Amino acid sequence: MQVFPTAEHSRFSHSLGTYEIARYIIETVDTVKNALSEEEQVTLLCAALLHDVGHGPFSHAFELIHPIHHEEYTCKIILEDSEVNQVLKQISPDFPSKVASVINKTHPNGILSQLISSQIDADRIDYLLRDAFFTGTPYGYIDVKRLIRIMSVKDNQIVFKESGIANLENFVMGRYHMYRTVYYHPASTCYEVIVTNLINRFFELLATGYKFKGDYCLLLPFGSRKSISAAEYTDLDEYSIYYYARLMSREDDPILKDLSIRFLNRKLLKTVLVKNALEANYYKDLVIKEGYNPSYYFYSVKPNQIIYKNYGMNDKANINILMRDGSIKELSEVSAIMAALINADLSSRDDTIVIYI
Amino acid sequence: MQVFPTAEHSRFSHSLGTYEIARYIIETVDTVKNALSEEEQVTLLCAALLHDVGHGPFSHAFELIHPIHHEEYTCKIILEDSEVNQVLKQISPDFPSKVASVINKTHPNGILSQLISSQIDADRIDYLLRDAFFTGTPYGYIDVKRLIRIMSVKDNQIVFKESGIANLENFVMGRYHMYRTVYYHPASTCYEVIVTNLINRFFELLATGYKFKGDYCLLLPFGSRKSISAAEYTDLDEYSIYYYARLMSREDDPILKDLSIRFLNRKLLKTVLVKNALEANYYKDLVIKEGYNPSYYFYSVKPNQIIYKNYGMNDKANINILMRDGSIKELSEVSAIMAALINADLSSRDDTIVIYI
Amino acid sequence: MQVFPTAEHSRFSHSLGTYEIARYIIETVDTVKNALSEEEQVTLLCAALLHDVGHGPFSHAFELIHPIHHEEYTCKIILEDSEVNQVLKQISPDFPSKVASVINKTHPNGILSQLISSQIDADRIDYLLRDAFFTGTPYGYIDVKRLIRIMSVKDNQIVFKESGIANLENFVMGRYHMYRTVYYHPASTCYEVIVTNLINRFFELLATGYKFKGDYCLLLPFGSRKSISAAEYTDLDEYSIYYYARLMSREDDPILKDLSIRFLNRKLLKTVLVKNALEANYYKDLVIKEGYNPSYYFYSVKPNQIIYKNYGMNDKANINILMRDGSIKELSEVSAIMAALINADLSSRDDTIVIYI
Amino acid sequence: MQVFPTAEHSRFSHSLGTYEIARYIIETVDTVKNALSEEEQVTLLCAALLHDVGHGPFSHAFELIHPIHHEEYTCKIILEDSEVNQVLKQISPDFPSKVASVINKTHPNGILSQLISSQIDADRIDYLLRDAFFTGTPYGYIDVKRLIRIMSVKDNQIVFKESGIANLENFVMGRYHMYRTVYYHPASTCYEVIVTNLINRFFELLATGYKFKGDYCLLLPFGSRKSISAAEYTDLDEYSIYYYARLMSREDDPILKDLSIRFLNRKLLKTVLVKNALEANYYKDLVIKEGYNPSYYFYSVKPNQIIYKNYGMNDKANINILMRDGSIKELSEVSAIMAALINADLSSRDDTIVIYI
C-alpha cells in the first residue's frame, strides 16, 4: 500500500470476500452443495472467514524474522481460548477443531480444503479480484461468476468444465501478471525489506541489551523468541508496528532511526534491475565501500514466477478439467498456452531486483 | 471504514487525487490556465496536495475534543519548520506563505481558493469519486471529465457553462445521497461517537490524576490542552490512537476498557431512528435507568442536509452558471431541481439518529 | 443511435434484459414470489420478454404517422396466429390471453402489471441501466440489486421499504437526467423529426398517386391506412426503413430525396434552444422566407419533464413506501427531494428545442 | 451480434474509436508527434477514420462470395468521385492519395501504416476494447492509457518500452482469448455460415436464370461478378441484406427460403466440437444421408490461432521492444510467455467446429 496508495484494503475485507466467494460457490454450484453436508457447508464458510486470522503484521516480512507459520497460528487462535473459539463452540464442542482441520488440510472431506487452499480457490479468487480493483491494474479482471459456474465435483474433487478453459487460462494469466507488476514491484519489495530490516535491527539491539527510550511492550515477547500465545500474537497488529516505528525514530541508534524514518515517510532505498548475481554484487560492494552495513542496506531477489503447477497424476492440488467425455485431465494437458507457461523457463529472461542504499 | 470495510482509502491518496484533479483542470481548461500565472499554477497544485495535511486522527471526532481548526494546523505545518516547509521554500522563501494563503483564502487571486475550497472544487470532486468507488455505492458516480470540461473563468471567477447544468445537478445530488447513505450511516455515526467518547474519557481520567498502566506519550500533550506544536500534532496519527486503544483495553477503568474494546473489535452500540427529540429522550432515560453514564453511552443527532447553497448575489462561493448570452446566474436560478432542493425543508422528513447502550 | 453512436442496443437485448430483471425479482424477493402462483410467475416472465414485441420501426416516430398503439399490436401478435402465439399455446390454450392480459393490465393479479408497467418496473429498470451503459452517461448508474432487494409486497401491491428511499430517489433522478440529456438531446429529436417527416412525405406522395421508381412493398399497406395484420406489422422492421430510405434517395421528389439523404448520412437539420414560442416562431418564419415547407423543415418541442407522479390516494401506479411502522405512504410524502421534484414547475426554466433548415 | 445480443456496435463507432486512439497517441507520445509532420498527423487521423470504409456487409462472409479485397475498396472510395473524396480534396488535390497510401502501406513514412495496421495499432486496440465492452467478456480488458504511454519511436519505427512488457503480454493474451471465446464462438461461426450460404444460394439461382418474386436491385450487380463501382459497393449495406433476406423468405426455392428464415429468426444450425477431420466427416455423411445439400448445410473449420508473430530480424510488422540499454528486441525475445505462445503449437489441442443440419 506504500506503492499503490489506493491498495489499502485490509485482511478484514479480504476475509469477508473469501467468505462471500465460498458462499456463492455453494449457492450456485449444485454439485458442490450436494457434496457437502449441512455441517460441512458451515464449516467451509467459517474456515473461509478465518483462514487468514493468524497472519501477523506485514506478514511476509514478519515471517522472515519470527519463525512462525501463519497457518499454525490460525489454528491456534481457532482452538485456544479466544473469542473466535468461543463463538465457534456455540455450534458444537468439536466445531472449532473441524474448522481448524480445513485450514491444516486434515478434514476428511477434501473438497473443503480444495475450496480454501488450492490453485484456484475462494482465497485466491478474492485476492486477485480485490488487488486488481484496488490497485487499478487491469490484470486481474476476471469473469468470476463464469469461473464459478464452470466448477463442478467429480470423483470427490473440484473440477472445472472443459467449456471454461479460457476462463481458467485468464485466471492463471491474471495471477501471473499481478505477481510481476504488483507483488514484485521493486518499490513493494523495497518497502518489505525496510520493514524486515527495521524489526531485525530492533531484535538485534534487544539481544545485546540496548537501552531503548520507548516502551515496546507488545513487541518484546517476539524478541525473546520463546513460544508466543495466540493473544500476544493478535495484539501485535500493524498499527502497533507503525506506532513503534514512530518511537524508534526517536531512539539514538542510527540504523534503527534511519530505517524507521524511511518506513514512516516512504523514503525508499534505491532499486535497480540487473541481469544476474554478478551484477547484483557490484551494488553490494558499493554499499560496503560507502560504509553501510549490507545486512540492512542491501538486498537482492529474483522474482519467483511459479504460479501454477501440474503436480502430476491425480494430485488433489491440480487444476482438473472435466472433459466432455467425462474423463478428467490436468489443465496443461488440454490448454496449449498453459502447457507453454509450465514448460517455459519463465524466469530465464527476468531481471533480478536489487535494493541498496 | 468500520462500516464500509473497503472504504479504507487514506488521506494520502485523497491528497494525491485532489492534486490530480487540480492538475487536470489546469491542463484541460484554457480559461483557468490563462487566469493563473505560472507561479500561481504551482501554488495551486501544492495547496491541493497539502490542503488536508493538518487533519488530526479521526478528524471530526478529534475536533470535538481538542479545539483545533484543522485549516489552522495545515497552515502551521506549511509555515513552521517542517519537512513540508523546507521543500516548499526551495521554490522561494515566501512560497510557503503563498501556499498557506490559498488554504486560508487570503490569496489575491481568488480563483485558487475557489478551485480548492468552494462548493464544487478539486477537493470535493475527488472525495465524492473516491468515496463512491471505495464504498461501492452508485451515488457519487459522476462524469468528472465533462464536469471539468464545462468549467470556465469569467469576471475573474470560476463559472460553469449552461450546457452542463445536468452535470452540476448530478454532482450536487451525488453529494446529497452520499451524505445520507454513507456519511450519516447510523453505524458510521456510532463509530465516531465511540472514538470521541473514548478519548474524552481518557482526558477526563487524566485530569483527575488517574494512574494509567500504559505509556501514552504522544497523546498526553493534547490532554493538558496547552498549545500543540505542528510536530506534536502530526506525530499523533490514527495508528497511535489504535495502539493506545489496545493499551486502554488493559486499564482498570470500566468505561475506558469497555469503549476501547468496542472500538478495537467493532462492537457498536445500539442505533435507532426516531422522529423527534421527545422520542430520543426515551432512550436517554433508558440509558440512565440501566445505570450507564449518558455522557458516554447516549448520543442523538439530526443529520445536517445542507450540501448546497445560494449565498446570494455575486457571492464567490456560489455555483455560477455562464449563460449562453454571456450573463452569469446562480445555479438555482436556472435549474428547477436545484431551486427545489434549496427551498425544500429537506430535514423536515428526516429521522434523528439515536445511539445508546 | 445516430447521436450516441454506441447506443445501438436493440429491442431484442432490451427484451432479454427486462426478462432477466423480472426473473431476478422473483428469485430474490420472497414476498413477490409468494404473491404469484407458479403459472403467474411464468406468465410474468413471458410478458416481460414480449412486452415490446409490438413496437414498430423507430417506434415513437412511427406512432406519430400511423395511428397505432404499440401495446395493442403486442397483444395482437401474442393472440393472433404468430410463431409467438404457437409457442405460448404449448403451455395451455388460454396462456396467450393470460400473457396479453398483463400487457393490457387486465390480469386479475395486479402485481404482474405493476412489475412490467408502472413507475418502477422491470422495463424501466432495464432501459435506464441499458441506456446509461451504452451511451456512456453516468446518469442512470443505479444500484439495481439493492433497488430490487428493497421491493416487497403489502396489501397485494408492490411496495418499497423505507430504508431504501435513497435508492428510489436515485432511480427517479437517473430517469430525469437521462430524459434531459439523452432522450431530449436536440440531435436525437432532430433525427426523429427527419424520420417522421420522411415517411410522412412518402405517404403524402402515395396519396396523390405519385409514381415511385422503387418497390416499397412492405411499406405500402401502412400508406393505405387500413387495418394492418400482425404479420404485416412485424415484417416492416428498421432494416426495411433504412433500405427504403436508400431507394427514396433515388426518387425525383426533392423533399423525399433530401430527407432520405439526411437520414442515411446523418446530415441533421439545424437545432437551436429558445426560451419560448415567440422565439420559436422566428425560425418558422425564416424557413418559410427561405422557401422551404415548414411541415417538413420546421419543428419545435418543449421537453416533457414529468417522469414521476403521485397519482393520489392508494393509486396502484404510485411508488409506494412501506414504512417501518407497517403503514404505506407515497414516495413524495416521505422524501423531501421527491416532493420538491413533483411540486416544482420543472419545465418553467427549460428551453424549447427548435429544429429548422 | 446474433450471438452476443449487446455486441451491436457498428463499424461507424469503431471508426470513431480508431480515430480517437490515433489522436490520443499523437497527443500523448511526444516521440510519435515529432516523427510526423503536421500534414502527416492529419493524414494519419483521416486514414484511421476511413480505414474500414471499404468493408462490405457481413464483411468476412461477403469476401468469401465476392472476390473483393476490402482494402482495395477502401482506397477506391477514397480516390474515386465519392463524398469522402471531395471532403479530403479540400485539404489538397493529392491529399486523398496520401490517405490511401497509408491504407495500402506505400506512404513514405512507415510509422503511419504501423499505427493503423500492424500487430498493435489503433485499429486493433479499439476493437479489442470495444468488443470486450460490448460483449461483456473480461478478456480484452487492457490498460489502454498505459499501453500508449509505453509507445515510442526509435530508428523510424514504433517501439514499446521494456518497462511495459506486461502490458504487451496482456494485449496479446486479450486478443488470443477474444478469438477463442467470441470470434470463433460456434454460434458466431454458424451465423456467418448461414449468411454466406444464403447469398451463395441467391447467386446460384441467379446464374441459372431463376425467376425471383422480389426486387433485389442493389444485390444484382454483385451476382454478375463484373467490376463493382465504389457507389454500388457502399449502397449494399447490412440493412439491405436484412431486407433482402425478408424478401427471400417469400421465394419458392426451399433452400433460399429456409436459410433466410434461419437468418432472420436466429434459427441456427446444429454445432458440435470434434477432435479431427475424420470425426467431422461423420457429420457430413449424416447431412447427405438425411437428404440435405452439404454445400449449404455442412461446414467445418479449425480455428486459426495465430494472433501474434515474430516476422524475424528487423521486420516492421514485429512488436519491437526498446530495451533499457537502447537496443531493440522483438517481443518474444524478451518475454518468456510470448516465446512460449509463439513456439507452442496452439492449435494442436483445439477442437474443430462442425456446423450441420
Side-chain angles (χ1 to χ4, degrees):
Chain A
M1 79 188 238
Q2 304 301 323
V3 180
F4 297 90
T6 55
E8 299 167 54
H9 49 291
S10 66
R11 215 166 292 144
F12 177 56
S13 48
H14 167 57
S15 298
L16 296 181
T18 304
Y19 167 90
E20 170 57 18
I21 300 282
R23 192 201 61 74
Y24 187 81
I25 292 172
I26 296 175
E27 179 191 284
T28 316
V29 188
D30 286 345
T31 50
V32 170
K33 190 174 190 167
N34 298 334
L36 302 175
S37 72
E38 247 179 72
E39 199 205 41
E40 285 171 345
Q41 291 176 25
V42 181
T43 308
L44 174 67
L45 295 178
C46 290
L49 196 59
L50 297 169
H51 77 285
D52 260 0
V53 88
H55 261 291
F58 303 98
S59 45
H60 298 292
F62 212 78
E63 288 189 10
L64 296 175
I65 301 158
H66 199 82
I68 281 170
H69 296 287
H70 70 83
E71 274 165 22
E72 185 190 313
Y73 268 85
T74 297
C75 290
K76 235 177 158 168
I77 291 163
I78 290 170
L79 296 170
E80 279 185 16
D81 183 32
S82 63
E83 193 180 352
V84 162
N85 176 269
Q86 284 160 33
V87 172
L88 295 176
K89 259 199 278 194
Q90 290 171 17
I91 306 275
S92 73
D94 63 345
F95 191 66
S97 71
K98 284 177 177 166
V99 173
S101 75
V102 179
I103 307 293
N104 63 26
K105 305 194 184 180
T106 59
H107 193 285
N109 186 344
I111 288 175
L112 283 83
S113 294
Q114 275 189 295
L115 288 171
I116 300 294
S117 58
S118 61
Q119 295 194 80
I120 302 186
D121 58 18
D123 179 16
R124 275 161 188 77
I125 291 173
D126 181 76
Y127 82 69
L128 181 58
L129 285 172
R130 195 168 297 277
D131 290 345
F133 183 81
F134 285 106
T135 59
T137 59
Y139 301 124
Y141 193 81
I142 58 167
D143 184 346
V144 64
K145 287 197 174 172
R146 192 160 147 69
L147 185 65
I148 287 170
R149 217 159 52 225
I150 61 166
M151 271 190 178
S152 190
V153 169
K154 171 101 188 187
D155 301 347
N156 209 32
Q157 64 184 328
I158 296 292
V159 293
F160 295 88
K161 293 180 198 150
E162 187 182 356
S163 60
I165 287 176
N167 292 73
L168 300 170
E169 292 171 344
N170 202 35
F171 177 83
V172 173
M173 290 305 300
R175 273 171 63 78
Y176 175 71
H177 278 119
M178 285 301 280
Y179 266 83
R180 284 165 54 106
T181 57
V182 174
Y183 306 142
Y184 276 109
H185 191 290
S188 307
T189 306
C190 178
Y191 208 76
E192 261 184 41
V193 167
I194 289 174
V195 183
T196 310
N197 291 354
L198 173 62
I199 299 172
N200 259 338
R201 181 62 179 178
F202 176 82
F203 287 147
E204 287 258 335
L205 293 173
L206 186 67
T208 62
Y210 186 86
K211 266 306 251 200
F212 294 103
K213 296 180 193 164
D215 176 359
Y216 302 88
C217 53
L218 303 184
L219 187 55
L220 293 177
F222 294 79
S224 38
R225 303 200 187 253
K226 55 162 189 175
S227 158
I228 304 289
S229 76
E232 284 173 323
Y233 189 74
T234 50
D235 275 2
L236 186 75
D237 55 19
E238 297 194 2
Y239 302 125
S240 310
I241 301 290
Y242 272 103
Y243 178 77
Y244 289 151
R246 194 163 298 283
L247 296 191
M248 289 172 191
S249 72
R250 300 166 170 200
E251 303 288 353
D252 294 325
D253 177 66
I255 292 176
L256 197 70
K257 192 185 184 77
D258 177 61
L259 291 176
S260 60
I261 289 172
R262 289 179 177 280
F263 174 75
L264 290 169
N265 298 340
R266 298 166 204 251
K267 305 205 167 180
L268 299 184
L269 296 161
K270 294 197 195 102
T271 58
V272 70
L273 299 175
V274 302
K275 292 293 171 199
N276 50 50
L278 211 75
E279 288 189 45
N281 272 338
Y282 165 82
Y283 291 95
K284 187 169 188 177
D285 292 346
L286 190 78
V287 165
I288 293 166
K289 200 158 48 182
E290 297 273 339
Y292 287 89
N293 183 343
S295 308
Y296 297 112
Y297 290 104
F298 174 80
Y299 182 76
S300 78
V301 65
K302 189 158 179 73
N304 165 23
Q305 302 287 4
I306 302 166
I307 41 145
Y308 155 60
K309 251 187 169 169
N310 177 352
Y311 288 94
M313 200 123 134
N314 294 326
D315 196 295
K316 283 225 151 191
N318 283 348
I319 300 175
N320 286 319
I321 308 303
L322 178 60
M323 304 301 288
R324 270 185 284 271
D325 65 10
S327 66
I328 292 179
K329 295 199 172 163
E330 195 277 334
L331 176 59
S332 67
E333 291 168 28
V334 289
S335 158
I337 188 75
M338 290 296 105
L341 186 67
I342 279 184
N343 296 324
D345 178 6
L346 288 181
S347 64
S348 66
R349 288 177 176 82
D350 275 325
D351 294 326
T352 293
I353 301 170
V354 169
I355 313 286
Y356 70 107
I357 176 64
Chain B
M1 78 189 236
Q2 305 300 325
V3 180
F4 297 89
T6 55
E8 300 167 54
H9 48 293
S10 66
R11 215 166 290 143
F12 177 55
S13 49
H14 166 57
S15 298
L16 296 182
T18 305
Y19 167 90
E20 170 57 19
I21 299 281
R23 192 202 63 73
Y24 187 81
I25 292 172
I26 295 174
E27 179 191 283
T28 314
V29 188
D30 286 345
T31 50
V32 170
K33 189 174 190 167
N34 298 336
L36 302 174
S37 71
E38 247 180 71
E39 198 203 43
E40 285 171 345
Q41 290 177 25
V42 181
T43 308
L44 174 67
L45 295 178
C46 290
L49 195 59
L50 297 168
H51 77 285
D52 260 1
V53 89
H55 260 292
F58 304 97
S59 46
H60 297 292
F62 211 79
E63 288 190 9
L64 296 175
I65 301 158
H66 198 83
I68 281 169
H69 296 287
H70 70 84
E71 274 166 23
E72 186 190 312
Y73 268 85
T74 297
C75 291
K76 234 176 158 168
I77 292 164
I78 290 171
L79 296 170
E80 279 185 16
D81 183 31
S82 64
E83 192 180 353
V84 162
N85 176 269
Q86 284 160 32
V87 171
L88 295 176
K89 261 199 279 194
Q90 290 171 17
I91 305 276
S92 73
D94 63 346
F95 190 67
S97 71
K98 282 177 179 166
V99 173
S101 75
V102 179
I103 307 293
N104 62 26
K105 305 193 183 182
T106 59
H107 193 285
N109 187 343
I111 287 174
L112 282 83
S113 295
Q114 275 189 294
L115 288 171
I116 300 295
S117 58
S118 60
Q119 295 195 78
I120 301 186
D121 57 19
D123 179 16
R124 274 161 189 77
I125 291 173
D126 181 76
Y127 82 69
L128 180 58
L129 285 172
R130 193 168 298 276
D131 290 344
F133 182 80
F134 284 106
T135 59
T137 58
Y139 300 123
Y141 192 81
I142 58 167
D143 184 345
V144 64
K145 287 197 174 171
R146 189 160 150 71
L147 185 64
I148 287 170
R149 216 158 56 224
I150 60 166
M151 272 191 178
S152 190
V153 169
K154 171 100 188 189
D155 300 349
N156 209 31
Q157 65 184 328
I158 296 293
V159 293
F160 296 88
K161 292 178 198 151
E162 186 183 357
S163 59
I165 287 177
N167 291 72
L168 300 170
E169 291 171 345
N170 202 35
F171 177 83
V172 173
M173 289 304 300
R175 275 171 61 78
Y176 174 71
H177 278 121
M178 285 300 279
Y179 265 84
R180 284 167 53 106
T181 58
V182 174
Y183 308 141
Y184 277 109
H185 191 290
S188 307
T189 306
C190 178
Y191 208 76
E192 261 184 40
V193 167
I194 290 174
V195 184
T196 310
N197 291 354
L198 173 63
I199 299 172
N200 259 338
R201 180 63 179 178
F202 177 82
F203 288 147
E204 287 257 336
L205 294 172
L206 186 67
T208 63
Y210 186 87
K211 266 303 251 201
F212 295 104
K213 296 179 192 164
D215 176 359
Y216 302 88
C217 54
L218 303 184
L219 187 55
L220 294 176
F222 294 79
S224 40
R225 306 205 183 250
K226 57 163 187 175
S227 159
I228 304 288
S229 76
E232 286 172 322
Y233 189 74
T234 50
D235 275 1
L236 186 75
D237 55 20
E238 298 194 0
Y239 302 126
S240 311
I241 300 290
Y242 272 103
Y243 178 77
Y244 288 150
R246 195 164 298 282
L247 296 191
M248 289 171 191
S249 72
R250 300 164 171 203
E251 302 287 352
D252 294 324
D253 177 65
I255 292 176
L256 197 69
K257 191 184 184 75
D258 176 61
L259 292 176
S260 60
I261 289 173
R262 288 178 178 281
F263 174 75
L264 290 169
N265 299 339
R266 298 166 204 250
K267 307 206 165 178
L268 299 184
L269 297 161
K270 294 196 194 101
T271 58
V272 69
L273 300 174
V274 301
K275 292 293 170 197
N276 51 51
L278 211 74
E279 288 188 45
N281 272 337
Y282 165 82
Y283 292 94
K284 187 169 189 178
D285 293 345
L286 190 79
V287 165
I288 294 166
K289 202 158 47 180
E290 296 274 338
Y292 288 89
N293 183 343
S295 307
Y296 297 113
Y297 290 104
F298 173 81
Y299 182 77
S300 77
V301 65
K302 191 161 179 70
N304 166 23
Q305 303 286 5
I306 303 167
I307 42 146
Y308 155 61
K309 249 185 170 173
N310 178 354
Y311 288 93
M313 199 120 137
N314 295 326
D315 195 295
K316 284 223 150 192
N318 283 347
I319 300 176
N320 285 319
I321 308 303
L322 179 60
M323 304 301 288
R324 271 185 285 272
D325 65 10
S327 66
I328 292 179
K329 295 199 171 163
E330 196 277 335
L331 176 58
S332 67
E333 290 167 30
V334 289
S335 158
I337 189 76
M338 291 295 107
L341 186 66
I342 280 185
N343 296 324
D345 179 7
L346 287 182
S347 64
S348 67
R349 288 178 178 80
D350 276 324
D351 293 328
T352 294
I353 300 170
V354 170
I355 313 286
Y356 69 107
I357 177 61
Chain C
M1 81 190 236
Q2 304 300 324
V3 180
F4 297 90
T6 54
E8 299 167 54
H9 48 292
S10 65
R11 214 165 292 143
F12 177 56
S13 49
H14 167 56
S15 298
L16 296 181
T18 304
Y19 167 89
E20 170 57 18
I21 300 283
R23 192 201 63 72
Y24 188 81
I25 292 171
I26 295 175
E27 179 189 285
T28 315
V29 187
D30 287 345
T31 50
V32 169
K33 190 175 190 166
N34 298 334
L36 301 175
S37 70
E38 248 180 72
E39 199 205 40
E40 285 171 345
Q41 291 177 25
V42 181
T43 307
L44 174 68
L45 295 178
C46 291
L49 195 59
L50 297 169
H51 77 286
D52 260 1
V53 88
H55 260 291
F58 304 99
S59 46
H60 298 292
F62 212 79
E63 288 189 9
L64 295 175
I65 301 158
H66 198 85
I68 281 169
H69 295 288
H70 70 83
E71 274 165 21
E72 186 190 313
Y73 268 86
T74 297
C75 290
K76 237 178 156 167
I77 291 164
I78 290 171
L79 296 171
E80 280 185 15
D81 183 32
S82 64
E83 192 179 353
V84 162
N85 176 268
Q86 284 159 32
V87 171
L88 295 176
K89 261 199 278 194
Q90 289 171 17
I91 306 275
S92 72
D94 63 345
F95 191 65
S97 71
K98 283 177 178 165
V99 173
S101 74
V102 179
I103 307 293
N104 63 25
K105 305 194 184 180
T106 59
H107 193 286
N109 187 344
I111 288 175
L112 281 85
S113 296
Q114 275 189 296
L115 289 171
I116 300 294
S117 57
S118 61
Q119 296 195 79
I120 302 186
D121 57 20
D123 178 17
R124 275 162 188 77
I125 291 173
D126 180 76
Y127 82 70
L128 180 58
L129 285 171
R130 194 167 298 275
D131 291 344
F133 182 81
F134 285 106
T135 59
T137 59
Y139 300 124
Y141 192 81
I142 58 168
D143 184 345
V144 63
K145 287 198 175 170
R146 191 162 148 70
L147 184 65
I148 287 170
R149 216 158 54 226
I150 61 166
M151 271 192 180
S152 189
V153 169
K154 170 99 187 188
D155 300 348
N156 208 34
Q157 64 184 327
I158 296 293
V159 294
F160 295 88
K161 291 179 199 149
E162 186 182 357
S163 60
I165 287 176
N167 292 73
L168 299 170
E169 292 171 344
N170 202 34
F171 177 83
V172 172
M173 290 305 299
R175 275 171 62 76
Y176 174 70
H177 278 119
M178 285 301 279
Y179 266 83
R180 284 167 54 107
T181 57
V182 175
Y183 307 141
Y184 278 108
H185 191 290
S188 308
T189 305
C190 178
Y191 208 76
E192 261 184 40
V193 167
I194 289 174
V195 183
T196 309
N197 291 354
L198 173 62
I199 298 172
N200 258 338
R201 181 63 179 177
F202 176 82
F203 288 146
E204 287 258 335
L205 293 172
L206 185 68
T208 61
Y210 186 86
K211 267 302 253 200
F212 294 103
K213 294 181 194 164
D215 176 0
Y216 301 89
C217 53
L218 302 184
L219 188 55
L220 294 177
F222 293 79
S224 40
R225 302 200 187 255
K226 55 159 189 176
S227 159
I228 304 288
S229 76
E232 285 173 321
Y233 189 75
T234 51
D235 275 2
L236 186 76
D237 56 18
E238 297 194 1
Y239 302 127
S240 311
I241 300 289
Y242 272 103
Y243 177 77
Y244 288 150
R246 196 164 296 284
L247 296 191
M248 289 172 191
S249 72
R250 298 163 172 205
E251 303 286 352
D252 294 325
D253 178 66
I255 292 176
L256 197 69
K257 193 184 181 74
D258 176 63
L259 291 177
S260 60
I261 289 172
R262 289 179 177 281
F263 175 74
L264 291 169
N265 299 340
R266 298 165 204 252
K267 305 206 166 179
L268 299 184
L269 297 161
K270 295 196 194 100
T271 58
V272 70
L273 299 174
V274 302
K275 292 293 169 200
N276 51 49
L278 211 74
E279 287 189 45
N281 273 337
Y282 166 82
Y283 291 95
K284 188 171 188 176
D285 293 345
L286 190 79
V287 166
I288 293 167
K289 203 158 49 183
E290 297 274 338
Y292 286 90
N293 183 343
S295 306
Y296 296 113
Y297 289 103
F298 174 80
Y299 182 78
S300 77
V301 65
K302 191 161 179 69
N304 165 24
Q305 302 287 3
I306 303 167
I307 41 144
Y308 155 61
K309 251 184 168 171
N310 178 353
Y311 289 93
M313 200 124 135
N314 293 326
D315 195 295
K316 283 225 150 189
N318 283 347
I319 300 176
N320 286 319
I321 308 305
L322 178 60
M323 305 301 288
R324 271 185 283 271
D325 64 10
S327 66
I328 293 179
K329 295 200 172 163
E330 196 278 335
L331 177 58
S332 67
E333 291 168 27
V334 290
S335 159
I337 189 77
M338 291 295 106
L341 186 67
I342 279 186
N343 296 324
D345 178 6
L346 288 182
S347 63
S348 66
R349 288 177 178 80
D350 276 323
D351 294 326
T352 293
I353 301 171
V354 170
I355 314 287
Y356 70 107
I357 176 63
Chain D
M1 78 190 236
Q2 304 301 324
V3 181
F4 297 91
T6 55
E8 301 168 54
H9 48 293
S10 65
R11 214 165 292 141
F12 177 56
S13 49
H14 167 56
S15 298
L16 296 181
T18 304
Y19 167 90
E20 170 57 19
I21 300 283
R23 192 200 64 72
Y24 188 81
I25 293 172
I26 296 175
E27 180 189 284
T28 316
V29 188
D30 286 345
T31 50
V32 169
K33 190 175 189 165
N34 298 335
L36 302 175
S37 71
E38 248 180 70
E39 199 205 40
E40 285 171 345
Q41 291 177 25
V42 181
T43 307
L44 174 67
L45 295 179
C46 291
L49 196 59
L50 297 169
H51 77 286
D52 260 0
V53 88
H55 260 292
F58 303 99
S59 45
H60 297 293
F62 212 77
E63 288 189 9
L64 295 176
I65 301 159
H66 199 83
I68 281 169
H69 295 287
H70 70 83
E71 273 165 22
E72 185 190 313
Y73 269 85
T74 298
C75 290
K76 235 177 157 170
I77 291 164
I78 290 171
L79 296 170
E80 280 185 16
D81 183 32
S82 65
E83 191 179 354
V84 162
N85 175 270
Q86 284 159 34
V87 172
L88 295 176
K89 260 198 278 194
Q90 290 171 16
I91 306 276
S92 73
D94 63 345
F95 191 66
S97 71
K98 283 177 178 165
V99 173
S101 74
V102 179
I103 306 292
N104 62 25
K105 304 193 184 181
T106 59
H107 193 287
N109 187 343
I111 287 174
L112 282 83
S113 295
Q114 275 190 296
L115 288 171
I116 300 295
S117 56
S118 61
Q119 295 196 79
I120 302 186
D121 57 18
D123 179 17
R124 274 161 189 76
I125 291 173
D126 180 78
Y127 82 68
L128 181 58
L129 285 172
R130 194 167 297 276
D131 290 344
F133 182 81
F134 284 106
T135 59
T137 59
Y139 300 123
Y141 193 81
I142 58 167
D143 185 346
V144 64
K145 287 198 173 169
R146 191 161 148 70
L147 184 65
I148 287 170
R149 217 158 55 225
I150 60 166
M151 272 190 179
S152 190
V153 169
K154 171 100 188 188
D155 301 347
N156 209 33
Q157 64 184 328
I158 296 293
V159 294
F160 295 88
K161 291 179 198 151
E162 186 183 355
S163 60
I165 286 176
N167 291 73
L168 299 170
E169 292 171 343
N170 202 35
F171 177 83
V172 173
M173 290 305 300
R175 274 171 63 76
Y176 174 71
H177 278 120
M178 285 302 279
Y179 266 83
R180 285 166 53 106
T181 56
V182 175
Y183 307 143
Y184 277 110
H185 191 290
S188 307
T189 306
C190 178
Y191 208 76
E192 262 186 38
V193 167
I194 289 174
V195 184
T196 309
N197 291 354
L198 173 63
I199 299 171
N200 259 338
R201 180 65 180 175
F202 177 82
F203 288 147
E204 286 259 335
L205 293 173
L206 186 68
T208 62
Y210 186 86
K211 265 305 250 200
F212 293 103
K213 295 179 194 165
D215 175 359
Y216 301 90
C217 53
L218 303 183
L219 187 55
L220 293 177
F222 293 79
S224 40
R225 302 200 188 255
K226 56 160 190 177
S227 158
I228 304 288
S229 76
E232 285 171 325
Y233 190 75
T234 50
D235 274 2
L236 186 76
D237 55 19
E238 297 194 1
Y239 302 126
S240 311
I241 300 290
Y242 271 104
Y243 177 76
Y244 289 149
R246 196 165 294 284
L247 295 191
M248 288 172 191
S249 72
R250 298 164 172 204
E251 302 287 353
D252 294 325
D253 178 65
I255 293 176
L256 197 69
K257 193 185 180 77
D258 177 62
L259 291 177
S260 60
I261 289 172
R262 288 180 178 280
F263 174 75
L264 290 169
N265 297 341
R266 297 165 204 249
K267 304 204 167 181
L268 299 184
L269 296 161
K270 295 195 193 100
T271 58
V272 70
L273 299 174
V274 301
K275 291 294 169 199
N276 51 49
L278 211 75
E279 288 188 45
N281 273 337
Y282 167 81
Y283 291 95
K284 188 171 190 176
D285 293 345
L286 191 78
V287 165
I288 294 167
K289 201 158 47 180
E290 297 273 338
Y292 287 90
N293 183 342
S295 308
Y296 297 114
Y297 289 104
F298 174 81
Y299 181 77
S300 77
V301 64
K302 191 161 178 72
N304 165 23
Q305 302 287 4
I306 303 166
I307 42 146
Y308 155 60
K309 251 185 168 170
N310 178 353
Y311 289 92
M313 199 122 136
N314 293 327
D315 195 295
K316 284 224 150 190
N318 283 347
I319 300 175
N320 286 318
I321 308 304
L322 178 61
M323 304 301 288
R324 271 184 286 270
D325 65 10
S327 66
I328 293 178
K329 296 201 171 160
E330 196 278 335
L331 177 57
S332 67
E333 292 168 27
V334 290
S335 159
I337 188 76
M338 291 295 106
L341 186 67
I342 279 186
N343 296 324
D345 179 6
L346 287 182
S347 63
S348 67
R349 288 178 179 80
D350 275 324
D351 294 325
T352 294
I353 301 169
V354 170
I355 313 287
Y356 70 108
I357 177 63

